Amino acid sequence: MIRYLLKLSRPRFWLYLAGPVLVGVAYGAQTVDDLFSLPVFALFAYFLLPANVFLYGINDIFDADIDEENPKKDEQEVRYQGSQVVPIAVALSVLLGLGLLLITPTVAWPWLLGFLLLGAEYSAPPLRFKTTPLLDSLSNGLYILPGAAAYAALSGSHPPLLAVIGGWLWAMAMHTFSAIPDIEPDEKAGIRTTATMLGEQKTLAYCAVCWLLSAVLFGLLDPRAGLLLLCYPALVAAWVARDVAVDRAYWWYPAINTVVGMVLTVGGLWRVVRG
């Protein structure tokens, strides 16, 4: 059962939540000692595993019927079979998330609570954002909330608005790109998403525009960050030009995102160590 929960939590995507924590820490820390504080370790540990059990556990519970038609569940992921262990694990993950409020300043609370709210309502009724085109994409800004919480916990202030909007656009594009391989099974199940509404080619254009806007906004904060993030719209152009199947390119993004996140994190850490 532990092996099942680990696979349910999508280990390949663990850094999609834990990675933003590292970026937030790197830019929120004021001293080297800040990097080794209790909130840093607690936030990273939570968003590395329990938060992924929470996010994907809810998704699998409420998508059990849809996932019967999803080929990704055959190898890379698992299908929820009604085990009571999953809702129990999800509930424990929520309690652990609420426990973070005890060790973080109040300025970080809106970001933490926002993650739990959007993470639940993306898949669960009554809102179930994932079944409403555009709202499914918009709600997935939730992936940057761990980083915003980490920044706020260390700096004592909210992250720059340009960074929040830029990160939100990045997450919107990443989510919508990942929905392209699900277009066929979602259509069979009668689920409407941004990707099913636009179709593959228009969805790729939508992702490219979101990623381009994200690069522009980060470039206003730091031109080096903007140049780095231009790799995302450039990659979309490359996939289209070389006729690379999206369901193949999709599995390269954990590595791509890790490299980009590492560069951003090292840049922030260099500021702390040098200063």
Side-chain angles (χ1 to χ4, degrees), residues 36-72:
F36 301 96
S37 60
L38 176 60
V40 170
F41 289 107
L43 286 165
F44 182 77
Y46 177 73
F47 285 106
L48 185 66
L49 180 55
N52 282 290
V53 172
F54 158 70
L55 190 63
Y56 295 117
I58 291 179
N59 181 82
D60 286 1
I61 290 170
F62 289 98
D63 279 7
D65 294 339
I66 300 170
D67 287 341
E68 291 298 324
E69 301 289 342
N70 194 334
K72 285 196 301 188

Side-chain angles (χ1 to χ4, degrees), residues 34 73 80 91 98 102 134 136 143 145 166 246 252-254 273:
D34 287 345
K73 298 294 180 178
Y80 175 63
L98 293 174
L102 300 176
L134 298 182
D136 62 330
Y143 279 91
L145 297 182
V246 174
W252 298 339
Y253 275 84
V273 173

Side-chain angles (χ1 to χ4, degrees), residues 17-40:
L17 292 178
V21 171
L22 297 178
V23 177
V25 165
Y27 289 92
Q30 304 302 311
T31 67
V32 173
D33 288 343
D34 287 345
L35 301 175
F36 301 96
S37 60
L38 176 60
V40 170

Side-chain angles (χ1 to χ4, degrees), residues 132-156:
T132 304
L134 298 182
L135 285 182
D136 62 330
S137 178
L138 184 63
S139 64
N140 263 259
L142 67 91
Y143 279 91
I144 66 123
L145 297 182
Y151 180 97
L154 292 188
S155 70

